[in-house]
């Protein structure tokens, strides 16, 4: 069996001490040519000898060159493995520092609430009646912070799920509508209208419907949070360059140019602590990529944002 | 009796600030709180303090950005960095920027209080008034 290259400990690459190429590019053809020329003028027996000599030189040279090409390819592959390895390490580092921060904050609150509740309980475990409400408040807060941690770990588990998309034919409009009705009531409560602009001629797509629903819901929720009273969210579909395109447009606050490249990063959020995990868009981006499409964002501060999902048809 | 230690908590987690303020208040500290760097600067403009408990990851102005400004606004205060961000880089940047100590969240209140007293005592020892 072919041993897998061990990605955690790739050995040092051989240094750049390759032998020179000129014996193969100049000397060998030169010698072979000279032998052939002399063979033309020499008596037949010597001619055959010289031709054989020329052939031997060519074969030897070709073998050496082939070996070197193969070694070059192998080194390139090793380099690839190394690069991937270091990228993976960087990604893990970034992700774990993000997770640590997001979990440590609720844990810090829990720690303090417990400390305070213990103190209010007093030495003899018999709290003063006027402290009981505070103790209950501490316990409630512990519950809230635990829920916050769960939200983060559960969303993270979505990343870990390696599930293969299960493809089925479905009208894109239907997938979007399913999610639109979910948020419509809350949107109406906030004074935000949801408009539709569907391309009726779009054929059904073959996609993983539950995954795509999750993406749409994330985009819709974000749009709703960004849009003030009186604003509009527009859901549109169209066909572009042989792909099905979904747009979620809003007339919300927009995203400053310096934040735009970061919105797909895990844990990037501008929402208050505990309000947003910053995982919605990075999850959605991952899902759309798995469905063979891509998710992009455009935005103008004060005007609004457009999130575009394009899927293969 | 010694003067109470005046603490300023700078952290964007509202509940964290509130409960910490409550706990420290019960233990004899005089506490004020700010939810951001600019809010902290404003409070320091009103009255100085002895120890600033500073978070690192805050929207807008980060703790690292706020550190030099806070130190300029109140040179006599010691800064104690308290963050959920587990990174040696940030710790060393903050210490190099003049922070007195660095603690990782979650941190038991007793430990935090000990650290506040320690940086305060150290300041009293090195900069007698
Ligand atoms: N439609 C939008 N308009 C303006 N800003 C947006 C929009 N969508 C996303 N953003 C910005 O991108 C950030 C990241 O979005 P993302 O959905 O990944 O996380 P979140 O909404 O903050 O938290 P959650 O994990 O709960 O979804 C948001 O905090 C917000 O700043
Ligand atoms: Mg979101």
């Amino acid at each position: 069996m072919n041993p897998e290259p061990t990605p955690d400990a790739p050995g040092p690459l051989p240094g750049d001490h390759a032998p020179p190429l000129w014996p193969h590019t100049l000397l060998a053809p030169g010698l072979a040519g000279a032998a052939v020329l002399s063979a033309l003028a020499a008596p037949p027996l010597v001619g055959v000898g010289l031709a054989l000599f020329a052939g031997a030189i060519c074969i030897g040279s070709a073998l050496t060159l082939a070996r070197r090409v193969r070694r070059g390819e192998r080194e390139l592959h090793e380099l690839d493995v190394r690069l991937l390895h270091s990228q993976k390490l960087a990604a893990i580092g970034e992700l774990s520092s993000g997770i640590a921060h997001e979990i440590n904050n609720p844990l810090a609150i829990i720690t303090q609430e417990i400390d305070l509740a213990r103190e209010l309980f007093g030495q003899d475990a018999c709290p003063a009646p006027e402290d009981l409400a505070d103790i209950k408040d501490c316990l409630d807060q512990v519950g809230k912070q635990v829920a916050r941690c769960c939200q983060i770990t559960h969303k993270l588990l979505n990343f870990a799920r390696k599930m293969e998309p299960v493809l089925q034919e479905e009208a894109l409009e239907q997938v979007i509508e399913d999610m639109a009705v979910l948020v419509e009531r809350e949107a109406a409560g906030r004074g935000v209208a949801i408009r539709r602009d569907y391309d009726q001629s779009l054929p059904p797509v073959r996609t993983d419907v539950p995954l795509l629903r999750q993406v749409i819901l994330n985009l819709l929720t974000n749009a709703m949070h960004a849009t003030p009273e009186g604003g509009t969210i527009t859901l549109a579909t169209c066909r572009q360059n042989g792909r099905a395109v979904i747009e979620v447009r809003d007339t919300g606050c927009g995203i400053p140019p310096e934040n735009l490249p970061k919105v797909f990063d895990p844990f990037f959020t501008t929402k208050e602590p505990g309000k947003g995990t910053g995982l919605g868009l990075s999850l959605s981006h991952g899902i759309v990529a798995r469905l063979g499409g891509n998710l992009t964002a455009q935005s103008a501060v004060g005007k609004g944002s457009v999130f575009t999902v394009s899927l293969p048809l | 009796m010694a003067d109470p230690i005046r603490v300023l908590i700078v952290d964007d987690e509202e509940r964290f600030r509130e409960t910490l303020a409550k706990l420290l208040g019960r233990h004899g500290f005089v506490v004020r709180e700010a939810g951001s760097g600019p809010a902290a600067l404003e409070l320091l403009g009103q009255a100085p303090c002895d120890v600033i408990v500073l978070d690192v990851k805050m929207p807008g102005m980060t703790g690292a950005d706020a550190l030099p400004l806070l130190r300029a606004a109140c040179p006599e205060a010691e800064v104690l960095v308290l963050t959920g961000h587990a990174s040696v880089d940030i710790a060393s940047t903050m210490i190099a920027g003049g922070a007195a100590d660095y603690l990782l969240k979650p941190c038991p209140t007793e430990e935090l209080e000990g650290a506040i007293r320690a940086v305060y005592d150290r300041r009293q020892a090195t900069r007698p008034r």
Side-chain angles (χ1 to χ4, degrees):
Chain A
M1 247 185 78
N2 227 0
E4 273 265 311
T6 48
D8 20 67
L13 275 184
D16 200 1
H17 45 65
L21 275 177
W22 64 265
H24 306 288
T25 54
L26 292 176
L27 186 62
L31 273 176
V36 169
L37 281 181
S38 345
L40 289 178
L45 214 64
V46 181
V48 169
L50 283 172
L52 284 179
F53 172 67
I57 288 179
C58 290
I59 290 174
S61 198
L63 281 179
T64 320
L65 284 177
R67 212 176 303 130
R68 287 182 59 178
V69 167
R70 212 161 290 143
R71 196 181 70 196
E73 278 169 356
R74 206 169 45 231
E75 281 171 15
L76 209 61
H77 173 73
E78 264 174 53
L79 262 182
D80 265 356
V81 171
R82 261 156 214 274
L83 193 64
L84 199 67
H85 176 68
S86 63
Q87 278 173 350
K88 270 189 200 157
L89 276 186
I92 292 175
E94 207 168 294
L95 199 65
S96 29
S97 111
I99 298 171
H101 184 264
E102 293 314 305
I103 302 279
N104 278 343
N105 272 325
L107 283 182
I109 297 182
I110 292 174
T111 307
Q112 279 183 353
E113 300 298 328
I114 293 175
D115 282 345
L116 182 58
R118 281 218 178 99
E119 204 169 302
L120 293 174
F121 257 100
Q123 296 275 310
D124 44 2
C126 189
E130 68 269 22
D131 287 337
L132 282 176
D134 281 346
I135 294 175
K136 180 173 181 304
D137 188 41
C138 288
L139 289 178
D140 288 348
Q141 192 56 226
V142 169
K144 266 188 206 156
Q145 299 300 328
V146 169
R148 179 175 163 194
C149 290
C150 290
Q151 212 191 351
I152 296 167
T153 50
H154 289 176
K155 279 196 190 175
L156 281 171
L157 284 180
N158 279 331
F159 280 101
R161 278 221 303 261
K162 263 233 189 75
M163 50 179 177
E164 280 298 301
V166 181
L167 301 185
Q168 67 188 90
E169 293 241 318
E170 180 68 277
L172 212 43
E173 202 178 308
Q174 191 55 51
V175 186
I176 302 173
E177 261 325 286
D178 288 347
M179 297 299 104
V181 292
L182 275 189
V183 296
E184 193 133 50
R185 184 194 291 256
E186 195 187 335
R190 292 165 173 257
V192 173
I194 299 190
R195 278 196 342 122
R196 276 86 165 168
D197 184 7
Y198 299 134
D199 177 350
Q200 305 292 343
S201 69
L202 206 63
V205 286
R206 262 186 80 71
T207 193
D208 186 311
V209 174
L211 286 180
L212 186 58
R213 280 204 190 113
Q214 205 178 327
V215 172
I216 310 277
L217 187 62
N218 277 333
L219 297 181
L220 264 171
T221 320
N222 282 347
M224 198 164 59
H225 289 155
T227 311
E229 207 180 329
T232 317
I233 298 172
T234 307
L235 298 168
T237 58
C238 66
R239 193 182 186 138
Q240 236 171 51
N241 307 324
R243 290 168 84 83
V245 172
I246 309 168
E247 278 184 3
V248 179
R249 297 194 279 259
D250 65 63
T251 58
C253 56
I255 304 167
E258 69 270 19
N259 285 350
L260 202 52
K262 298 189 214 151
V263 292
F264 296 111
D265 291 351
F267 300 114
F268 175 81
T269 180
T270 56
K271 293 173 187 169
E272 269 170 57
K275 290 279 161 56
T277 59
L279 290 174
L281 281 180
S282 64
L283 250 177
S284 303
H285 193 270
I287 290 177
V288 175
R290 248 188 316 175
L291 297 179
N294 50 315
L295 172 60
T296 53
Q298 284 167 294
S299 189
V301 174
K303 293 220 172 100
S305 315
V306 189
F307 283 81
T308 309
V309 181
S310 98
L311 293 170
L313 259 179
Chain B
M1 218 187 101
D3 285 340
I5 304 177
R6 295 163 302 171
V7 179
L8 174 62
I9 306 169
V10 190
D11 198 306
D12 61 328
E13 288 274 358
E14 191 182 349
R15 180 72 187 201
F16 180 80
R17 280 195 324 259
E18 282 173 6
T19 307
L20 182 56
K22 229 183 253 174
L23 279 162
L24 293 179
R26 291 172 66 92
H27 303 167
F29 295 82
V30 172
V31 190
R32 287 181 298 166
E33 22 166 323
S36 68
L41 288 172
E42 203 180 307
L43 285 185
L44 284 181
Q46 290 162 16
C49 73
D50 301 308
V51 179
I52 302 173
V53 177
L54 179 63
D55 186 20
V56 175
K57 197 183 162 201
M58 293 183 285
M61 191 191 285
T62 67
D65 297 336
L67 181 60
L69 304 178
L70 293 174
R71 282 178 56 79
C74 184
E76 71 262 41
E78 292 290 350
V79 178
L80 183 62
V81 178
L82 174 62
T83 171
H85 217 105
S87 147
V88 186
D89 288 356
I90 295 183
S92 54
T93 323
M94 298 298 276
I95 300 284
D101 204 353
Y102 185 95
L103 284 179
L104 200 61
K105 281 184 194 174
C107 167
T109 314
E110 221 181 298
E111 204 175 299
L112 176 58
E113 253 182 65
I116 294 177
R117 289 188 202 282
V119 296
Y120 177 76
D121 290 345
R122 204 157 65 205
R123 188 198 73 172
Q124 296 303 87
T126 50
R127 283 188 243 163
R129 276 188 242 193

